Amino acid sequence: MTPPLDPLNPLFLGALALGVLAVLLLLVLRASVNAARAVEPVIWQMDQLGQRVQSLSDGQQQLAGGLHHVSDAQAKAQTQMIQLVEQRLAQVTETMSESLQGNALRTARSLGDLHVRLETIDKAQANIEKLSGNVLSLQDILSNKQTRGAFGEIQLHDIVLRALPSDAYTMQATLSNGKRADCLVHLPNPPGPIVIDAKFPLEAYEALRNATDAAQMAEARRAMRTALRYHIKAISEKYILEGETADGALMFLPSEAVYAELHANFPEIVREGFSARVWIVSPTTCMATLNTMRAVLKDARMREQAGAIRRELGELYKDIERLGVRVENLDRHFGQAAKDVAEIRISADKAGRRARRLDNFDFEEIAPADGAAETPGKITPLPTP
């Protein structure tokens, strides 16, 4: 009879463990087979996925190669672009440098020219300021009657000095009535010495110019007519003296503007001057009048010297007659001298021929000088030429 198993027996425990282990292995083996059967589709999919991954890897490698090629091309293009940009930048820099240098030179030249022009403008400004001062001085001069008269006398003297010889006029000449004329031109009779007065009432003209309304204009015109009539009357009474001066006188206006204003707006004053034998002249018309006077003086002086000219012409005619006689005598002497020279030439020719014959000792054939026959064998003496 078999003894009962002891659960605590080591053998029993080892057998039990081996049985359990075998069951476990069997179960694991079955699970592995089942798992292998279940994993086969997954492995196939993994293979497909691997192939796709490989394709992707190959594509990625090709893409990496293309990207590398594109990167190289881009790097080269970028390098070329950088070089081109640097070259263009260098050209632009050089061009800008040259342009800036040219602009700098032109600017410097322009500044120099501008400086010169500014200096010229400064000089012109100084001249204008000086001229303004002179104009103010001239206004101060013309505002005073005495200084204005002196100014007119100076201008008249300058014109007369250029137009007439120094002995044809006298400045500040005193007449028989005790009046002193600004200029006395010594014209022959007729018309006789004529007086030129240089004092003009400028206050009325200045008032006429400065008038701002019709009332002031009318008042200035009235004052100017009054002043001109008074001045014309004074000249006619002072400087037209019968038997001493010409039957007229000249009123000198030192301004062409006053002369033009007078003839344009005061023609009745000019006619009154003509009636009073006072002729109004400006610097231009005064020069023309004085040139006419110079021609009159020249003609008068030529008439004065007509007798002396006739005497000189008579003496000149006598000198010409004597010259003709002396020319005839000289011509006669020249003719006689020419005749003497011809005779001397004939004598020289004869002497030359005789000398040649004597040189050849041709005594037998020497012919007489007068063509007469001579005795053969005798030497005939040479005639005296």
Side-chain angles (χ1 to χ4, degrees):
M1 182 175 167
T2 302
L5 295 173
D6 189 0
L8 298 175
N9 189 358
L11 294 174
F12 178 77
L13 290 173
L16 182 61
L18 288 174
V20 173
L21 181 62
V23 172
L24 290 173
L25 287 174
L26 182 62
L27 291 174
V28 169
L29 180 61
R30 183 178 292 177
S32 296
V33 172
N34 293 330
R37 289 178 181 177
V39 168
E40 285 181 358
V42 175
I43 293 174
W44 181 80
Q45 290 179 356
M46 290 296 292
D47 290 336
Q48 294 294 326
L49 182 61
Q51 291 177 1
R52 290 180 181 179
V53 170
Q54 184 66 33
S55 299
L56 289 175
S57 177
D58 294 338
Q60 186 178 4
Q61 290 179 358
Q62 292 178 359
L63 181 60
L67 291 175
H68 181 71
H69 179 71
V70 170
S71 177
D72 293 339
Q74 186 177 3
K76 291 181 181 179
Q78 186 176 3
T79 304
Q80 292 178 356
M81 181 64 69
I82 292 173
Q83 293 177 355
L84 181 60
V85 170
E86 290 179 351
Q87 184 178 0
R88 295 291 179 84
L89 183 61
Q91 292 177 356
V92 171
T93 303
E94 183 178 1
T95 304
M96 290 183 64
S97 177
E98 293 177 356
S99 178
L100 289 175
Q101 290 179 357
N103 290 331
L105 292 176
R106 287 192 294 271
T107 303
R109 191 180 298 110
S110 300
L111 289 175
D113 296 338
L114 181 60
H115 182 69
V116 173
R117 291 181 180 177
L118 288 176
E119 290 181 352
T120 305
I121 291 173
D122 291 337
K123 292 180 180 179
Q125 183 67 26
N127 293 330
I128 290 173
E129 293 177 356
K130 184 177 179 181
L131 181 61
S132 300
N134 293 333
V135 170
L136 293 176
S137 300
L138 181 60
Q139 290 180 354
D140 295 337
I141 290 172
L142 296 179
S143 63
N144 189 351
K145 183 179 291 184
Q146 294 180 352
T147 55
R148 184 175 67 246
F151 175 74
E153 291 171 8
I154 292 172
Q155 190 174 6
L156 176 62
H157 181 264
D158 184 59
I159 294 174
V160 173
L161 182 64
R162 296 186 181 188
L164 298 177
S166 59
D167 59 345
Y169 64 93
T170 301
M171 302 299 296
Q172 300 299 319
T174 303
L175 303 179
S176 61
N177 58 359
K179 303 299 180 180
R180 179 173 293 179
D182 294 330
C183 179
L184 180 65
V185 181
H186 304 295
L187 291 177
N189 288 316
I194 188 169
V195 174
I196 305 176
D197 183 77
K199 294 180 289 294
F200 174 74
L202 193 62
E203 292 86 356
Y205 177 72
E206 291 293 335
L208 181 63
R209 288 187 57 192
N210 296 327
T212 58
D213 54 16
Q216 292 182 0
M217 182 70 69
E219 181 63 23
R221 287 180 181 276
R222 187 190 62 77
M224 189 166 182
R225 285 190 180 91
T226 303
L228 287 170
R229 287 192 176 100
Y230 177 78
H231 193 55
I232 290 173
K233 182 180 179 182
I235 292 175
S236 177
E237 292 176 352
K238 292 179 182 179
Y239 304 130
I240 300 178
L241 304 177
E242 187 176 357
E244 183 178 354
T245 64
D247 60 350
L250 298 178
M251 184 174 72
F252 176 73
L253 302 180
S255 173
E256 297 288 346
V258 179
Y259 183 80
E261 179 70 23
L262 185 62
H263 280 75
N265 298 319
F266 301 92
E268 70 278 5
I269 301 298
V270 178
R271 289 193 294 269
E272 290 179 9
F274 289 161
S275 300
R277 298 191 300 272
V278 176
W279 297 285
I280 303 172
V281 294
S282 66
T284 303
T285 56
C286 182
M287 177 63 75
T289 304
L290 292 176
N291 285 328
T292 304
M293 292 181 181
R294 182 176 62 184
V296 172
L297 289 171
K298 183 178 179 181
D299 183 67
R301 291 181 181 180
M302 289 185 65
R303 286 198 305 270
E304 291 176 359
Q305 299 297 327
I309 292 174
R310 290 193 187 92
R311 289 192 299 271
E312 293 296 329
L313 287 175
E315 295 297 330
L316 179 62
Y317 180 73
K318 292 179 181 179
D319 291 339
I320 292 174
E321 286 184 345
R322 284 193 294 269
L323 180 61
V325 173
R326 290 171 182 173
V327 168
E328 290 178 358
N329 294 334
L330 182 60
D331 183 64
R332 186 169 57 253
H333 290 312
F334 280 156
Q336 186 63 39
K339 183 178 179 182
D340 293 341
V341 169
E343 292 177 354
I344 290 172
R345 185 179 291 111
I346 292 172
S347 298
D349 291 340
K350 289 181 179 180
R353 288 196 300 270
R354 291 185 184 277
R356 285 193 296 273
R357 290 181 182 179
L358 288 174
D359 186 60
N360 294 327
F361 297 98
D362 192 8
F363 297 103
E364 298 295 335
E365 297 180 359
I366 292 177
D370 53 359
E374 296 183 359
T375 306
K378 295 178 66 178
I379 299 175
T380 303
L382 296 173
T384 302

